[in-house]
Amino acid sequence: MANIGNEVQFKVYQNMSDPDPDRLPVIYEEWKERARQVLEDGPYYYVAGGAGGEQTMEANREAFNQWKIVPRMLRNVENRDLTVMLFGETYESPLMHAPIGVQSIIHPDGEIASAKAAAAMGVPYIASSASTAPMEEIAKVMGDAPKWFQLYWNRDPEVTASFLKRAEKAGYSAVVVTLDTPMMAWREFDLKNVYLPFLAGEGVGNYLSDPAFCSKLTHSPKEDPAATIMHWTKTFGNPSLTWSDLSFIKEQTSLPIVLKGVLHPDDAQMAVEQGMDGIIVSNHGGRQVDGAIGALDALVDICEVLHHQIPVLFDGGIRRGADVIKALSLGADAVLIGRPCMYGLAAAGETGVREVLQNLLADVDLTMALAGETSVRALNRSILKGAN
Ligand code: FNR
């Protein structure tokens, strides 16, 4: 992955005399446009839409615009290092594939395609609880490539415990516990389109293959799919949870636990006090609380109080290399890529996701070099200027 930016650029420009007329997009907006062209309204807006009036999605982008990179010169940036260390492991780059459920609604190969693409790029894949392909199948196609499991904390503790045991057995090396989705938000496009993919049996692969979940059904999922989905809707989220319940998760797994969806500095501090291994600052891509703080603004607030006590990961609105550089310079140890991968998947399956990740890595590498930096781990606020 060293100096990947120069390599990818070179590969593109060497075809200058005869460029492939069917080549895939480079520009984020064009990937999104291609996804729009191939998807029906339901699936497209399920991915592209946010909660309410989508103010949080806007805030995510605005927050990036508040920071400008101030490049430094003459600093020997010939060789760069994109590697990061998390929970005792070295990862090839600071990018991770965000946990994203129900990918089968945008491409028939769904999570399998994304997981293979992430593995090919050395980008850790975070498998969602709400995948259509069961976690074991995803793990299998990834071989030894780095992978984490994202837990939706089920109302039934036996299902939660079972998911955690399965993830550990399947070879996932960390658990991401998503806290911001104890129930589905007010998503105007999905309501308008009358579209909730789970009700059509998408995104429930981990549940249908789970012995604890199936043991609570009167009839097997095959015999009575409608009752199965009804049971799923009743048990999927658990709004009654509190901080003290985290001890249950700790008892169920020996893997590092990372809390996703933290936005308030006090909650970040609570995560530390509860012995959590890391947090992901995230507002779920603006899909849960409308009118919420931009994720990057929350990152700044949180890093100010946390002082590197535990790793802080980040997602929300990352579209280009400069966004990654800003998030890392403001204190993130790694970042998760969400919608860009999904537009790549919708438009071109596994190849699309690989291309999106490869281009983003190249952009990160070149932007870091041109900002005068050689290591993502050493990035800090000294190369940034706030708008205020
Ligand atoms: C998500 N996200 C998400 N998060 C999670 O913890 N579990 C999940 O199953 C899902 N599912 C999901 C589906 C879709 C269609 C999207 C777009 C997002 C949230 C995801 O992990 C991440 O936080 C956001 O995607 C980040 O925002 P951007 O950068 O994609 O806008």
Side-chain angles (χ1 to χ4, degrees), residues 99-101 128 150 152 178 260 282 284-285 287 315 317 319 338-339:
I100 300 212
S128 164
Q150 176 265 323
Y152 274 135
T178 299
K260 177 168 183 274
S282 168
H284 213 108
R287 299 162 66 76
D315 74 28
R319 304 292 176 256
R339 288 185 177 95

Side-chain angles (χ1 to χ4, degrees), residues 231-308:
H231 181 67
W232 179 87
T233 59
K234 289 194 182 129
T235 53
F236 168 74
N238 187 354
S240 70
L241 293 167
T242 65
W243 286 92
S244 59
D245 292 314
L246 284 169
S247 56
F248 175 77
I249 302 289
K250 278 180 86 172
E251 282 159 21
Q252 306 305 319
T253 184
S254 60
L255 299 176
I257 303 170
V258 185
L259 299 184
K260 177 168 183 274
V262 177
L263 292 168
H264 197 293
D266 291 353
D267 282 353
Q269 199 53 52
M270 286 288 273
V272 175
E273 281 160 26
Q274 294 292 327
M276 297 295 110
D277 299 281
I279 59 168
I280 302 176
V281 176
S282 168
N283 54 29
H284 213 108
R287 299 162 66 76
Q288 285 300 95
V289 179
D290 190 23
I293 183 169
L296 196 75
D297 292 331
L299 177 73
V300 172
D301 294 348
I302 285 171
C303 288
E304 263 167 25
V305 302
L306 230 48
H307 300 300
H308 304 286

Side-chain angles (χ1 to χ4, degrees), residues 202-223:
E202 309 274 359
V204 292
N206 284 320
Y207 300 84
L208 303 194
S209 58
D210 192 76
F213 179 83
C214 290
S215 74
K216 308 294 164 70
L217 303 170
T218 323
H219 298 286
S220 76
K222 262 211 182 108
E223 284 162 355

Side-chain angles (χ1 to χ4, degrees), residues 28 43 46-49 57 60 97-102 105 126-131 150-152 176-181 187 198 236 260 280 282-287 315-319 336-340 342:
Y28 165 76
Y46 184 80
V47 174
M57 279 171 64
N60 280 353
H97 189 299
I100 300 212
V102 283
I105 64 173
I126 310 180
S128 164
S129 277
S131 55
Q150 176 265 323
L151 177 76
Y152 274 135
V176 169
V177 183
T178 299
L179 303 177
D180 57 20
T181 316
R187 295 184 186 163
F198 306 100
F236 168 74
K260 177 168 183 274
I280 302 176
S282 168
N283 54 29
H284 213 108
R287 299 162 66 76
D315 74 28
I318 291 187
R319 304 292 176 256
L336 280 53
I337 312 303
R339 288 185 177 95
M342 289 305 100

